[in-house]
Amino acid sequence: MDALRIILRPIITEKSMNEASKGRYTFKVFSSANKNDIKKAVENKFKVNVLKTTTILVKGRRSRRGTRRVEVLNQAFKKAIVTLKAGQKIALFDTGSQK
């Protein structure tokens, strides 16, 4: 599988930014990618060493939108949390120095 197509986008939330400060980074990944594929893709794309990969299948949820409150099903996706070697970081998640 192509390494560039495995990682779809980073997941930027308050919780993921707190985890990023501890060396754990969260990505939305291709649903059929396995842990080894994800590890290789992150290592190749960001030039870092991955120690551990955790994957989670996030279930699609129903929500109501619009003026008529039409019910819509949000699509399910796969999320990967990668732990990097101590001292390494990914620039995408860097918030700068906070005082």
Side-chain angles (χ1 to χ4, degrees), residues 58-63 65 72-76:
V58 179
K59 189 171 124 178
R61 297 190 175 120
R62 295 184 186 275
S63 63
R65 295 188 187 146
V72 178
L73 179 64
N74 295 336
Q75 195 170 10

Side-chain angles (χ1 to χ4, degrees), residues 28-42:
K28 183 176 181 180
V29 295
F30 194 67
S31 60
S32 64
N34 59 32
K35 290 182 180 186
N36 290 329
D37 292 339
I38 296 165
K39 178 181 177 180
K40 289 176 189 173
V42 171

Side-chain angles (χ1 to χ4, degrees), residues 63-71:
S63 63
R64 299 177 76 87
R65 295 188 187 146
T67 55
R68 293 180 184 241
R69 308 304 292 161
V70 177
E71 193 172 88

Side-chain angles (χ1 to χ4, degrees), residues 38-86:
I38 296 165
K39 178 181 177 180
K40 289 176 189 173
V42 171
E43 286 178 344
N44 290 336
K45 189 168 188 172
F46 300 107
K47 307 295 186 244
V48 292
N49 298 328
V50 175
L51 297 178
K52 182 179 174 184
T53 305
T54 306
T55 58
I56 303 146
L57 290 172
V58 179
K59 189 171 124 178
R61 297 190 175 120
R62 295 184 186 275
S63 63
R64 299 177 76 87
R65 295 188 187 146
T67 55
R68 293 180 184 241
R69 308 304 292 161
V70 177
E71 193 172 88
V72 178
L73 179 64
N74 295 336
Q75 195 170 10
F77 64 94
K78 190 174 205 176
K79 180 166 73 170
I81 301 171
V82 295
T83 305
L84 301 184
K85 192 174 180 181

